[in-house]
Amino acid sequence: MTGNATTRFHNVSLLSVASSLPSKATASADIEGKLSAGLKRLRLPGNLLERVAGVTERRNWAEGESFTEATVAAGHEALRRAGVDASQVGLLINTSVTRTHLEPSVAVRMHHGLGMPSSAVNFDIANACLGFVNGMTLAAQMIEAGQIRYAIIVNGEDADEIQVNTINRLLRDDIGREDFMSEFASLTLGSGAAAAVLGRTDEHPEGHQILGGVTRAATQFHELCVGSVQGMFTDAKALLRGGLDLVVSAWKEAQTDWNWSTMDHYITHQVSRVHTNAIVKAVGLDAKRVPTTYPTLGNVGPASIPITLDLQSKSLKRDDRVLLMGVGSGLNTAMMELKW
């Protein structure tokens, strides 16, 4: 694998980030309780989700809640925190994996719900778990180019249906150990929503400057993690191995342009204990600087990074160096530096 794509920004800042979480918490013990007959038949040990993945619980939408309404709520809160009126926003990008239909875009629902002007460009970006960071990069490029003044990036995920479908399928008599483990990652998914507002640094000196970052692709691994509402099927060992190779390659090449070994905080995409520990070890991060939300929220897809950043934001100090980093199935990796 050769070659990072590198981007630098000079006048773009993250003005706010907000998240909206479901009220219902689903314990891993409850999920494994539903799967007890299948685990017994396959002679698999219990407590796999907590012991192996480190996921104690995740959130699911309760009755009367939905990922669309929660995403709109997160968007309103992000605009409020940024001190930006919806009428000033020139771009809305939705980055959700979850979608209830093929068309129209999820973005149009968010555009309407946020009361944005007809002049605001709106569309979806889909790139698995990297969608939110990719959306931030594209929005930053348009702000830097002078095409827009403000942008809002939103994401809402609903793991409820895939969770139910996976549990039902894993209880079938024709499911073997290999089948079970290929769907194990589906059981770590959680629901949630997040939003972020970007604007010009010279107009918002109180903001958090986006300095830039890198992306890198290893699309020869595009079949290692394939998901739909029916289920997410992975080759976990090959996926982890390919992802680590990709991250290390991107990290090493980025060292010629960036000094990321002494960041104050590393906000990583939240997958599992195994994934997080492997990334920390592979590139030599200080684990104390890598906050985790997967134990109680699971893997919330593209919303993981902004949710974790929002929950961590109260502990961040002015001028802290923050690196957003993650791997998305496909495979792609992205790293973006913020000056808090």
Side-chain angles (χ1 to χ4, degrees):
M1 295 180 289
T2 57
N4 287 348
T6 300
T7 307
R8 286 189 178 274
F9 301 111
H10 304 283
N11 194 29
V12 184
S13 287
L14 172 68
L15 305 186
S16 67
V17 60
S19 57
S20 180
L21 298 175
S23 62
K24 179 183 177 182
T26 302
S28 291
D30 291 340
I31 290 178
E32 292 198 5
K34 295 177 180 178
L35 289 169
S36 59
L39 291 169
K40 183 177 181 179
R41 180 178 62 81
L42 296 173
R43 297 182 180 179
L44 287 169
N47 201 30
L48 279 173
L49 285 166
E50 190 168 345
R51 182 167 49 84
V52 176
V55 178
T56 303
E57 64 181 26
R58 79 282 295 129
R59 297 294 184 92
N60 294 105
W61 301 112
E63 186 176 353
E65 299 175 342
S66 70
F67 82 95
T68 53
E69 295 304 321
T71 307
V72 170
H76 279 303
E77 178 61 16
L79 289 169
R80 186 194 69 78
R81 293 181 184 181
V84 174
D85 190 87
S87 63
Q88 299 174 287
V89 179
L91 172 69
L92 179 147
I93 302 177
N94 171 70
T95 64
S96 304
V97 171
T98 299
R99 55 187 310 117
T100 54
H101 39 64
L102 291 177
E103 59 177 332
S105 69
V106 179
V108 297
R109 172 67 183 88
M110 306 306 153
H111 182 282
H112 175 72
L114 290 171
M116 296 180 64
S118 60
S119 57
V121 179
N122 60 95
F123 51 80
D124 292 350
I125 281 182
N127 194 18
C129 294
L130 287 185
F132 203 94
V133 176
N134 292 154
M136 290 178 65
T137 299
L138 178 56
Q141 290 169 338
M142 293 181 67
I143 291 172
E144 191 105 306
Q147 294 178 279
I148 56 173
R149 188 179 175 194
Y150 296 107
I152 184 167
I153 298 89
V154 299
N155 182 278
E157 301 300 339
D158 186 345
D160 297 11
E161 184 176 358
I162 188 174
Q163 195 176 94
V164 171
N165 290 339
T166 299
I167 290 172
N168 289 339
R169 183 165 47 253
L170 292 179
L171 288 173
R172 291 184 345 209
D173 291 338
D174 61 337
I175 294 294
R177 277 183 170 234
E178 186 175 337
D179 299 316
F180 188 98
M181 296 314 297
S182 75
E183 297 197 56
F184 181 76
S186 299
L187 303 176
T188 68
L189 298 177
S191 301
V197 175
L198 276 59
R200 291 169 55 96
T201 303
D202 57 8
E203 292 184 339
H204 293 273
E206 78 285 357
H208 316 296
Q209 191 172 4
I210 300 176
L211 302 180
V214 304
T215 63
R216 191 182 187 99
T219 54
Q220 66 269 32
F221 299 120
H222 66 277
E223 295 182 336
L224 294 183
C225 180
V226 179
S228 70
V229 294
Q230 295 305 314
M232 186 167 70
F233 305 87
T234 65
D235 182 335
K237 291 182 179 179
L239 189 64
L240 180 61
R241 186 167 56 248
L244 287 177
D245 287 345
L246 178 61
V247 168
V248 170
S249 297
W251 182 273
K252 287 182 176 179
E253 184 172 313
Q255 289 179 334
T256 60
D257 299 303
W258 306 88
N259 178 22
W260 288 334
S261 60
T262 57
M263 303 295 287
D264 296 296
H265 305 270
Y266 299 91
I267 307 298
T268 63
H269 170 54
Q270 304 290 303
V271 180
S272 69
R273 177 190 292 142
V274 172
H275 179 274
T276 300
N277 290 348
I279 293 292
V280 166
K281 181 179 179 180
V283 295
L285 304 183
D286 181 352
K288 295 180 181 178
R289 302 183 182 188
V290 184
T292 58
T293 55
Y294 67 79
T296 56
L297 299 181
N299 178 355
V300 199
S304 286
I305 287 178
I307 288 175
T308 305
L309 180 61
D310 179 35
L311 296 178
Q312 186 71 12
S313 61
K314 292 182 180 179
S315 66
L316 303 183
K317 302 185 298 293
R318 191 67 183 173
D319 294 331
D320 273 358
R321 298 175 66 208
V322 181
L323 188 68
L324 312 183
M325 58 187 298
V327 179
S329 57
L331 289 168
N332 286 288
T333 188
M335 303 172 191
M336 172 183 282
E337 182 176 350
L338 308 178
K339 180 182 178 182
W340 204 258

